[in-house]
Amino acid sequence: MLSLRNICKTFNMTGAKEDERVALDHINLDIEPGEFVTIIGGNGSGKSTTLNVVAGSITPDSGDILLNGESILKLKEYQRASYFGRVFQDPMMGTSGDMSVLENLEIAYRRGRVHSPFVWGFKKENKEDFIRELKRFDLGLEDRLNQKVGVMSGGQRQALTLLMATMRNKPTHKMVRRDYIKFSEKDKSLAAKEFDDVYEPAKKEYKEKCKVIKSDKNLTFEQKKQQIADIYDEFDKKVRQFDLTKQILLLDEHTAALDPKTAKKVLELTDKIVKENQMTTLMVTHNMKDALTYGNRLIMFNQGHIVLDVKGEEKKKLTVEDLLKKFDVQI
Amino acid sequence: MPYIVSVILNILTSGVPCILLALGIFITYRLLDFADLTAEGSFLVGGCLALSLIKLGVNPYLSTLVALIGGGLCGYLTSVFYTKLKIPKLLCGIITMTLATSLALIIMGFTRADEPFTNLVSLGIKDQTIYSVFYFGEKMYQPLIKTVIMVVIVFIVMVAIYYFFGTEYGMAIRATGLNERMGKAQGINTKRANITALVISNALIGLAGAMYCQDLRSVDVKTSTGFLVVGLASILIGEAIFGKRSFKNKLISISLGSILYFTIITVSIELGFPSELKNMLYAILIALALSIPLVQSAINTYKKKRKVEHYA
């Protein structure tokens, strides 16, 4: 769960009162896991600032940001990247134009991980994964892995950024343990014990089973490989039940720079990815129709305040006219 | 030895160390998008450290290693100015470069007992360099041996650079240079990436300085003047003529560019161009190199036009 507590942010704090612009005024917001929130509001109402505060690009003047009950305010932008995937308004922003599709994907795959200076950056098995992912999203990029991203259209770049923001290597068991201790609401030593009580026997069991299979002379090499992979999956599942670091997707007007047809395609792709992975998502948009069509919660900002917050059934009943009325009243 | 061979060896002994210089500048200028003026400073510091240590009786290879580290420290200083003190990129390099001139005086001062600072160190006949360690046989083969040693060192360094920028961290550095915002969003510590790239770049330039000055067997404060231009010109000429399709291609292009640059300079001077006016030659070369893409596109449009006319 992502919570904002009393977040305030004022720009142009030069001393002169008339220059100051309040972007966020005591914002309180709780976002449940799995929610797809669309955020609308006029220019300068604070919607993009909210996203930037969450991601760490902007430091708030006061208030706190909690992720699963733990404050992440002190984490730097790059450290928060392991919890947030981001897509920007500018298609040039999210990808590196002079690098190939493959290189961009490799970097995204290691988001929030250590980049080792001793490990070769291209892996064969990753490449197969990427091709499978790209095929699934039907972007026509799977044959163009070695092409530079710079020569692609804005829509393709934005779709690629979206894929990069949502695709990530599974956290290692060590990371699962770390985040479980950090984010579970239990006592720290208790959480560690709970994890170890499951993890250690499971690991032992896995190793013993492996030994048995390896010493079995009746099996071919391929069969052995298959069986060990199956056992590993079983072991992995046991560890994954502790995985609390669900990714949160931050979309900052990511279709604003695209033509209507491409924008629609990218939005549908977004919806598909979010639904498939059950990702918690915050989407800022200027298009009220999109804000109503997609997502299961809608928030409207005005001058640094949240003026509308509807969920579920209530949101389904909303129409563009209702929203416009609300807009008129504010202005 | 025939005249032509001696000219070629002459070109190679200046050109090959400058490949490292060009690669160092390439890392900051192209990969990191950081116009790093530290280059001349670290080149000078590298040269001074190597020669001063050799003069004091240290093993030449060890001295060259220290020169490499010294260059790297210059780069670290620049990166501290940039990341910690938030000074604009261009000024960071200028500060270090200015500082390096005085540093060189202090370093060279250690070779003299009577004065604290001096602006010239030249090796005696007995002082060994990384090249003279391997001088066997007749004197006429010495330039050849020297060139071979240079090529071997540069080749090893190039392979190391190619490997490093293909690793996970090298890739992260490249991404940071191209798009810092994306780097941060993808969880890359962009500050550290900047520092690492600057240190590597200037370490290479320091090594280049050490190799170049050991070839000359002397160094003074003015030795490094103009080498930033040499490195930039090598990159521009190389990329314009030999292409920049992939990372490997870029590395090779720059190396060939550096050699080509020295070929043009040496040949012009051999043909009678007054060597006092070298700087004019440098300027003309860079202007030409920068205009190559324009000429290429003009040729392409002309070819297309011809084709259309042919079919019409």
Side-chain angles (χ1 to χ4, degrees), chain A residues 77-78 81 88 92-96 103-104 107 110-111 115-123, chain B residues 163-164 166-169 171-172 174-175 178-179 181-182 184-189 244-245 250:
Chain A
E77 190 179 355
Y78 74 90
F88 304 101
M92 307 297 145
M93 222 53 176
T95 45
S96 185
E103 284 170 312
N104 271 292
I107 286 169
R110 287 190 288 272
R111 178 157 52 87
H115 296 260
S116 165
F118 304 108
V119 181
W120 189 242
F122 301 92
K123 288 191 192 70
Chain B
Y163 177 77
F164 178 74
T167 61
E168 292 181 356
Y169 195 58
M171 222 188 248
R174 281 193 289 151
L178 293 164
N179 189 343
R181 194 97 194 264
M182 173 231 181
K184 274 184 190 162
Q186 296 297 348
I188 296 165
N189 187 344
K244 45 177 176 179
R245 290 179 297 280
K250 277 181 198 166

Side-chain angles (χ1 to χ4, degrees), chain B residues 76-94:
Chain B
Y76 183 71
L77 199 63
T78 306
S79 70
V80 167
F81 289 145
Y82 175 57
T83 57
K84 297 273 176 347
L85 305 182
K86 312 271 181 213
I87 298 172
K89 289 177 177 178
L90 202 63
L91 293 176
C92 297
I94 293 179

Side-chain angles (χ1 to χ4, degrees), chain B residues 200-245:
Chain B
I200 292 175
S201 151
N202 284 294
L204 290 181
I205 298 171
L207 178 63
M211 284 168 70
Y212 186 83
C213 293
Q214 284 183 65
D215 172 36
L216 293 182
R217 296 185 73 87
S218 80
V219 59
D220 67 65
V221 189
K222 288 208 178 88
T223 307
S224 71
T225 316
F227 271 90
L228 188 68
V229 175
V230 173
L232 274 179
S234 306
I235 296 171
L236 296 173
I237 293 174
E239 285 188 343
I241 294 179
F242 304 104
K244 45 177 176 179
R245 290 179 297 280

Side-chain angles (χ1 to χ4, degrees), chain A residues 45-250:
Chain A
S45 60
K47 49 193 186 343
S48 289
T49 313
T50 311
L51 240 59
N52 283 329
V53 163
V54 170
S57 315
I58 294 175
T59 321
D61 298 334
S62 66
D64 203 357
I65 311 159
L66 306 170
L67 185 65
N68 297 333
E70 184 90 2
S71 173
I72 55 166
L73 200 63
K74 288 220 172 74
L75 293 184
K76 297 221 174 62
E77 190 179 355
Y78 74 90
Q79 288 167 323
R80 289 189 209 180
S82 50
Y83 310 118
F84 302 110
R86 298 172 73 186
V87 185
F88 304 101
Q89 181 179 355
D90 184 356
M92 307 297 145
M93 222 53 176
T95 45
S96 185
D98 204 36
M99 292 170 101
S100 67
V101 176
L102 184 63
E103 284 170 312
N104 271 292
L105 286 171
E106 283 279 5
I107 286 169
Y109 195 61
R110 287 190 288 272
R111 178 157 52 87
R113 292 282 204 86
V114 177
H115 296 260
S116 165
F118 304 108
V119 181
W120 189 242
F122 301 92
K123 288 191 192 70
K124 217 177 166 187
E125 64 263 27
N126 287 1
K127 197 174 167 181
E128 284 159 10
D129 273 359
F130 298 153
I131 291 174
R132 210 181 309 124
E133 284 294 283
L134 286 169
K135 265 192 188 146
R136 214 153 60 90
F137 295 123
D138 196 26
L139 297 173
L141 292 177
E142 61 268 16
D143 312 317
R144 300 164 66 180
L145 274 181
N146 290 321
Q147 201 170 40
K148 277 185 184 166
V149 177
V151 300
M152 291 178 179
S153 70
Q156 278 171 326
R157 280 185 84 155
Q158 209 62 329
L160 183 66
T161 316
L162 191 64
L163 189 60
M164 283 165 62
T166 50
M167 175 204 64
R168 190 174 79 117
N169 201 354
K170 276 184 194 161
T172 58
H173 292 168
K174 228 178 180 171
M175 286 168 85
V176 171
R177 183 178 190 269
R178 185 194 70 192
D179 287 340
Y180 185 69
I181 293 170
K182 208 170 168 187
F183 293 133
S184 74
E185 275 146 28
K186 291 162 194 147
D187 189 51
K188 295 215 184 283
S189 56
L190 206 73
K193 194 171 173 290
E194 198 181 340
F195 180 87
D196 290 340
D197 280 350
V198 176
Y199 180 70
E200 295 299 338
K203 194 176 171 187
K204 219 173 178 182
E205 195 189 325
Y206 161 69
K207 277 190 174 164
E208 271 166 14
K209 275 185 182 170
C210 275
K211 230 181 237 170
V212 174
I213 291 168
K214 273 180 193 162
S215 57
D216 195 339
K217 277 170 193 157
N218 300 327
L219 295 168
T220 63
F221 179 71
E222 287 301 316
Q223 279 171 325
K224 274 184 192 173
K225 209 173 146 187
Q226 184 58 42
Q227 285 192 10
I228 287 177
D230 288 345
I231 291 171
Y232 184 78
D233 282 345
E234 206 177 291
F235 165 52
D236 199 47
K237 224 181 223 168
K238 276 183 195 164
V239 181
R240 295 277 165 225
Q241 58 175 332
F242 291 99
D243 189 1
L244 288 178
T245 50
K246 287 280 184 288
Q247 288 281 295
I248 295 174
L249 189 58
L250 306 176

